[in-house]
């Protein structure tokens, strides 16, 4: 099993690149953002709780997303690998993920970190907001709050995996295809 974390700030292109990576390598895609939005559209209690945080650009509590990922891992036995997108987002989530994978006798193979400047992120998210219908993308204040959360809590995830020498930085500005090729080259050199 080869498991990947696609890491980077909101708007860095994780969703776009995930789709292409899944199509090429057959990983099971686990996006906590997608899982949360699906809970919201089904109006589950979890979704209703999560929505309050997401609308403000804040992270959803660790136990909520860790529970969701734990269930998703159980529901997908026998896959060739997981592609984590938008998870882990805190030190506690990183530690929980390592434990869950260890129970399955596997681990994170590589953390691919997309680097994009803050101005480019805001521009992309505002643009996405025009078409995506995501309420957290059409308000600049909420976008800035998400980037603040990223610096405050999520950048620790890269530090966590750096100690195991698992982080590779990839420039996230350029064409979708160029970035995809850089990601594939890293994956191919490790599997
Ligand atoms: P983006 O990367 O553009 O912020 P996501 O779909 O990954 O988009 O996340 C949208 C929102 O969902 C986040 O702002 C946060 O409120 C919530 N969320 C997603 N994943 C997590 C997570 N792992 N931990 C806490 N909150 C999360």
């Amino acid at each position: 099993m080869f498991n990947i974390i696609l890491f980077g700030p909101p708007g860095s292109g994780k969703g776009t690149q995930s789709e292409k990576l899944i199509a090429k390598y057959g990983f099971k895609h686990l996006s906590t953002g997608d899982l949360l939005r699906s809970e919201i559209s089904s109006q589950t209690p979890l979704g209703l709780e999560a929505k309050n945080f997401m609308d403000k650009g804040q992270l959803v509590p660790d136990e909520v997303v860790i529970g969701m990922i734990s269930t998703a891992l159980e529901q997908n036995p026998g896959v060739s690998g997981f592609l984590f997108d938008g998870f882990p987002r805190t030190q506690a989530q990183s530690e929980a993920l390592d434990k869950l994978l260890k129970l399955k006798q596997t681990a994170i193979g590589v953390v691919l970190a997309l680097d994009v400047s803050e101005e480019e992120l805001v521009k992309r998210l505002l643009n996405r907001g025009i078409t995506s219908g995501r309420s957290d993308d059409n308000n600049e204040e909420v976008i800035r709050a998400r980037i603040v959360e990223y610096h405050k809590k999520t950048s620790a995830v890269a530090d966590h995996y750096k100690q195991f020498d698992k982080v590779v930085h990839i420039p996230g500005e350029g064409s979708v295809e160029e970035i995809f090729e850089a990601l594939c080259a890293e994956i191919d050199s490790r599997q």
Side-chain angles (χ1 to χ4, degrees):
M1 234 180 147
F2 190 74
N3 306 297
I4 295 177
I5 296 174
L6 195 54
F7 184 77
S12 55
K14 302 186 295 291
T16 306
Q17 296 296 338
S18 288
E19 275 181 33
K20 295 174 73 68
L21 292 170
I22 291 147
K24 176 164 177 176
Y25 296 99
F27 301 123
K28 174 68 194 171
H29 185 206
L30 291 183
S31 154
T32 40
D34 288 350
L35 291 170
L36 289 166
R37 279 184 290 278
S38 136
E39 296 280 342
I40 292 174
S41 62
S42 311
Q43 297 190 311
T44 64
L46 189 157
L48 294 176
E49 186 197 348
K51 189 174 187 311
N52 291 323
F53 294 95
M54 292 166 77
D55 283 348
K56 290 186 223 141
Q58 294 170 2
L59 292 187
V60 172
D62 285 333
E63 56 277 17
V64 174
V65 284
I66 292 168
M68 258 180 11
I69 286 290
S70 168
T71 305
L73 292 179
E74 288 314 312
Q75 285 170 342
N76 289 281
V79 297
S80 64
F82 290 99
L83 174 63
F84 297 97
D85 161 7
F87 181 89
R89 256 173 151 104
T90 63
Q91 174 70 22
Q93 291 179 24
S94 311
E95 288 169 9
L97 177 62
D98 292 349
K99 278 193 196 141
L100 289 169
L101 291 178
K102 201 165 180 191
L103 286 173
K104 297 193 155 300
Q105 274 141 19
T106 183
I108 292 298
V110 68
V111 178
L112 299 171
L114 292 169
D115 293 332
V116 177
S117 73
E118 181 154 341
E119 280 327 292
E120 174 70 14
L121 295 175
V122 175
K123 207 170 79 188
R124 287 185 188 178
L125 290 168
L126 283 170
N127 249 327
R128 185 166 82 184
I130 298 168
T131 52
S132 72
R134 273 181 57 173
S135 55
D136 59 346
D137 281 345
N138 53 29
N139 177 326
E140 184 159 345
E141 215 175 298
V142 174
I143 290 173
R144 299 255 178 219
R146 281 154 64 200
I147 296 173
V148 168
E149 284 282 79
Y150 173 80
H151 288 301
K152 215 162 61 181
K153 299 174 183 162
T154 306
S155 51
V157 172
D159 298 335
H160 173 79
Y161 288 101
K162 249 179 229 155
Q163 57 175 323
F164 310 116
D165 229 7
K166 292 207 170 138
V167 183
V168 179
H169 286 269
I170 308 274
E173 295 183 47
S175 75
V176 168
E177 211 46 50
E178 268 166 16
I179 299 164
F180 178 60
E181 274 164 26
L183 292 168
C184 292
E186 286 300 334
I187 294 170
D188 294 342
S189 74
R190 272 151 217 274
Q191 293 208 83

